[in-house]
Amino acid sequence: MAEHNELGKIGEQKATNFLVKKGFEILKRNYRFKKLELDIIARDKDELVVVEVKTRQSDYLTDPRELVSKSKQKGIIKAANAYIHEEEIDLECRFDLIIAVINSKEERLEHIEGAFYPTL
């Protein structure tokens, strides 16, 4: 497996652990719908939370909100709708972003709740 894929898997595991410590219930990881994938699907109180995890070795000149393009957001929303339909979930849905910076000098997670919203 490529080094960036391994780093991504590590970031997703650390994000999962982080969410569990915050009291989230993890419902599914790496949910696939057609060619789309949701990193983490969780429940936070009365909300379904779809979490996109971006793992980097550096955060140099990176605006977190630019890490998930509009087309990526549309794919995440489409896959989330499929999951909600399949599992017959009746909860409000929120889309979060976790940025994991992992390198030899630091390990840091930034959780952005409501990072983007479905457009009407």
Side-chain angles (χ1 to χ4, degrees):
M1 186 177 286
E3 185 177 332
H4 71 278
N5 290 340
E6 281 296 321
L7 184 64
K9 295 279 184 210
I10 292 167
E12 285 180 19
Q13 185 59 55
K14 291 189 180 294
T16 298
N17 296 343
F18 173 81
L19 292 171
V20 168
K21 285 180 186 172
K22 285 183 77 171
F24 285 60
E25 175 189 357
I26 305 303
L27 303 176
K28 189 89 171 162
R29 287 184 57 188
N30 304 115
Y31 169 77
R32 290 195 168 279
F33 174 71
K34 298 183 180 179
K35 292 184 178 183
L36 305 168
E37 182 180 339
L38 301 177
D39 294 332
I40 301 169
I41 302 171
R43 184 175 179 150
D44 181 25
K45 300 176 187 76
D46 292 332
E47 282 186 301
L48 183 72
V49 183
V50 177
V51 182
E52 177 70 8
V53 180
K54 293 294 184 182
T55 307
R56 300 287 182 262
Q57 290 184 337
S58 167
D59 62 357
Y60 180 70
L61 296 179
T62 303
D63 178 352
R65 299 189 193 280
E66 293 177 4
L67 294 174
V68 184
S69 69
K70 289 289 184 195
S71 63
K72 176 75 172 177
Q73 290 177 24
K74 287 179 184 179
I76 290 169
I77 293 163
K78 185 175 184 177
N81 283 331
Y83 179 82
I84 290 166
H85 180 72
E86 283 175 18
E87 299 296 324
E88 299 179 358
I89 293 174
D90 187 23
L91 296 171
E92 291 293 317
C93 186
R94 184 177 84 214
F95 297 90
D96 290 4
L97 172 64
I98 292 183
I99 300 146
V101 177
I102 301 170
N103 59 48
S104 62
K105 294 182 181 176
E106 72 174 322
E107 189 174 292
R108 178 171 41 88
L109 298 177
E110 180 181 354
H111 183 194
I112 301 169
E113 294 186 15
F116 62 91
Y117 300 92
T119 53
L120 301 173

